[in-house]
Amino acid sequence: MRKTNSNNCFMKLKLTWLMTLFMAFVMQISLAQEKSVSGTVTSVSDGLPLPGVNVLVKGTTRGVQTDFDGNYAIKVSTGETLVFSFVSMVKKEVVVGSSNTIDVTMQEDIAALDEVVVVGYGTKSTVNETSSASVVSADQMEDRPIAGVNNLLKGFSTGVVVNAGSGQPGAGSVVRIRGISSLNAGTEPLYVIDGVPVISGDYSRLNTTSDVLSSINSNDIESMTVLKDASATAIYGARAANGVILITTKSGKSGSPRFGFSIESGFNEKAVDGPRNLTAAEWAELVDEGLVNALGSAYEGYTNDRLNPNGVDTNWGDAIERGTANQQQVNFSVSGGTDKLRYFSSLGFFDQESIVRNSMFNRTSGRLKVTYKLSDKITIGQNINAGFTNLKTLSSGGGFANPMLAKYFARPSDPVRNEDGTFYIGPAGNPRMSNGLFNVPMLLENNFNKARTLKLTGITDFSYDITENLNFSSRLSLDNTMIEEDSYQNPLHGDGFTPKGRAYAYDTRVFDYVFQNSLNYDFNLGDKNNFSVLLVQEAQKNHYRNVSASSEGYGKGGFYTVSVGSNILGAAGTRSQSTNAAYLGSLSYNFDNQLFLDATFRREGNSNFAEENKWGNFWSVSGAYDVAKGLDFDASSVNELKVRVSYGQVGNASIGSTSSLEYFSFGGEYGGRIPLFVGGVANPDLTWEVNKPLNFGLDFGLFNNRLTGSFDYFIKKTEDLLYSIPLSLTTGQTSKFVNAGSLENKGFEIGLGGRIFDNDFKWNSRINFSFVENELTSLLQNDVISGTKILREGESINTYYMRKWAGVDPANGDPLWYINGKDGATTNVYSKAERATQGNSLPNYTGGFINNFSYKGFSIETMLTFAFDYKVYDGWAAYLQSAGSYTLSYPGYANNLDRWQEPGDVALNPKNVYNNSNQNQATSTRFLYDGDHIRFSNLQIGYDFTKVFPSSTFSSVLLYLRGTNIITYTFDDLLEHDPETRTSGVTDLDLPPLKSYTVGVKVSF
């Protein structure tokens, strides 16, 4: 027994020893296979390191994160799989092999690129967005040769119409979102930069047109978001009736410093040639013919014998235009940060000349944006922007100094210069040209209109995370705009001749401050019920101040300041201020990222109204449901199918600070004293315009989001229209504001985008299409006729009202109009024809078609914009296409040559008769044209050398050629002016838009 037991013990000890050896051997092998693997994770788009990437061993909880420079190190065994994941990047898996170094490049997740959209007072995931909003990203705006940032929206956003109205560099633009919502109150959208409403619009007083937003460098912008429905705009209350444009500037990101440099240069031409002006021979032919038809054959050869004996043939268009104008810009930026500090800084210079001499715009800008995390709970930020612009503009409209007017009004028989090289300015005692006009090239060289604008903005942010889900933030914004304008008219010729020289000096100051405080609380009830509550207090105050002075009597010494004039004409100034206060709250609910509900309420006070009407309530409710998630569609076929609905009430208070008040003004002189007079008539009942937008929407993503799109149908009703009615002059005023009427804008928007090819060759395409119909539904006064327009219930507020042109009578060359204003019987007597509605100046259909192609290093970007179903009226054709009425004095357009001469002629213009009285040039559809057009707005061809020749220094080196406004195709062959006019639709001989050709280099490192 003992021997047996001993053997058993020995065997057990031996087995234990063998098992221990085996386990040690296994452990030794295992330890021999585990090793340290390290590497760097970078972005495939720019080659920059990615900090904070999660690196996890698949199937385990072992993992690390990349550091500030994108580096990582992890213990792992051969054969195991590392999983790399990062927000907005495609997850990547790598099997560990024999190498100890694994470098990874990560690609952006296309489906998540639009993951976050900026909304009122914050951001929101597009997944749970219930509102109608359009986003334009940085890559669509950078380095484009356009001065005004609002012009960058054209073609990229549904429901948005942008018209510059003038080709003057730095000109103000008209932006309309889903139509026009007011008659006499403001119709421009609210601009919000980095969460703060800012000063926008045209504050110039001496110059033709300008826009203070042109002081912003588009290369500093990360995105522009257009808010259109009540769900998006109601949170901004009485400033949001015309929509809201949110501009988000670039910020720094954690990582090593990132540098960007770009330089671009080129030239500008006219995007639209416009009507051709007559040569001397053509003008003589028309003048002589008109004189013979009116006075007899004795006037044959009259023009060359009496008016142009020296055979002068001046092309006034060539005399005022440069032919080509210079264009250039330079931009530099640096950004980066750590886990605590992030920064972005930039400098930029932009310079653009008009095709007309002595017209230009340049801008110098700088931005510094810093965010610092003081602790785990406290973050502070400072955002400073400075923009200085220098603008030279020209006279426009009916002024004799307007160069575009001179092109068609000046006689070709007058020379630009005398034989000795000096300017021809007519007789010494009456220095005007032969038809009483001015030598505009002389004025362009000796007169000036200048504006210098300095816009300084500063935003200070403070954020405190009270708890994990509760945040308090405070923001103070200071916005200061200073404009100095100078104008000089020389004493030798033009408007300055009689007073022996005249000068004006205007200073304008606009100061705006906004103070915001907010609480944001996010909480969950269970795993699927997610809530977010936002409370905001906001106060805004605006100060406006201007002074002006003028003098006359200048010598020839070249001193142009007002104080040099021998006769001080006077000085004047005004001051005003307005305030706005608001309290608001919003609640958002999200059920399992499938059902979304939002509600907003804003209580707002505005100083523009009388005491009892200063406060108003604005609100919205909205909801969305993702059908795709509810029905559990296959992700490879349907990714999103979200239906949306929203309704609410917003307001409009853009009427001026004294519109509802009775007040007195001082000014002028009477009996040696300063008189006191009525400045305004009180209307204590005046209140807000109320805008009630209803929106139905659908967002979809199909085939792994290869095809995405949205559809919106909207009805936007405006009630209590702010309308200026005429008053008896016995009141001391000509008009006052009342609430009188309503109007409606309704329509639909379609946006479709597709990744047609997504391999080495990529083709992304998008089309934006909008239809908006405007109707005046009621008005205190019906059939209000003003110039070429009428306000009539049931019609658009921009409806043309005039007689209808029936053409030229082939039998005798008489002008003809339709008697009933529409069709049928005609008459050659203007007064016997009735006026009727003839369409409107607002395009009903607008949109853009965008295509981006790329293959390895090559890329092509194209954009077409279009507008249909609207009319353009030539406001100067009455003088310039008059069938002889004014041809002797004002030569006009070359299309005057297409005229009736003998029976049977089918001609554009009636019989040419000097000083005729048949009213052929009176207001009618003869000069009303279809504005329908398609414009090739942008073409960029580029080559990124780093895509083919990778560099450890440069993440991108892009060489590109760009064309802007290359081709404009109009469907009406008779329309020779630019089809994109101001909102009125009436051309005013403004500077034509610019066609730009530029070459540029853009480097990132």
Side-chain angles (χ1 to χ4, degrees), residues 231-288:
S231 174
T233 61
I235 200 166
Y236 290 103
R239 300 164 295 179
N242 305 304
V244 181
I245 297 176
L246 305 179
I247 299 175
T248 303
T249 60
K250 293 178 180 178
S251 301
K253 299 177 181 179
S254 296
S256 56
R258 306 176 185 187
F259 299 90
F261 174 77
S262 65
I263 183 169
E264 180 182 88
S265 183
F267 62 90
N268 301 316
E269 297 177 342
K270 291 179 291 186
V272 176
D273 289 334
R276 182 173 67 83
N277 48 314
L278 291 164
T279 66
E282 291 168 339
W283 175 62
E285 177 184 341
L286 289 172
V287 171
D288 289 354

Side-chain angles (χ1 to χ4, degrees), residues 797-877:
I797 62 173
N798 272 47
T799 295
Y800 291 105
Y801 188 67
M802 59 184 65
R803 293 165 175 83
K804 187 174 182 179
W805 178 252
V808 178
D809 190 337
N812 56 20
D814 284 351
L816 297 175
W817 298 270
Y818 289 105
I819 294 175
N820 65 3
K822 292 294 184 182
D823 51 26
T826 62
T827 179
N828 63 355
V829 180
Y830 182 77
S831 60
K832 291 184 179 180
E834 296 179 0
R835 287 184 290 181
T837 57
Q838 308 290 354
N840 72 85
S841 63
L842 304 176
N844 288 328
Y845 302 93
T846 57
F849 183 42
I850 303 158
N851 285 279
N852 296 327
F853 308 89
S854 64
Y855 178 71
K856 296 186 177 179
F858 288 98
S859 62
I860 300 176
E861 301 174 8
T862 67
M863 181 171 70
L864 302 176
T865 56
F866 55 84
F868 299 108
D869 197 16
Y870 73 107
K871 302 286 186 179
V872 174
Y873 186 77
D874 186 347
W876 287 103

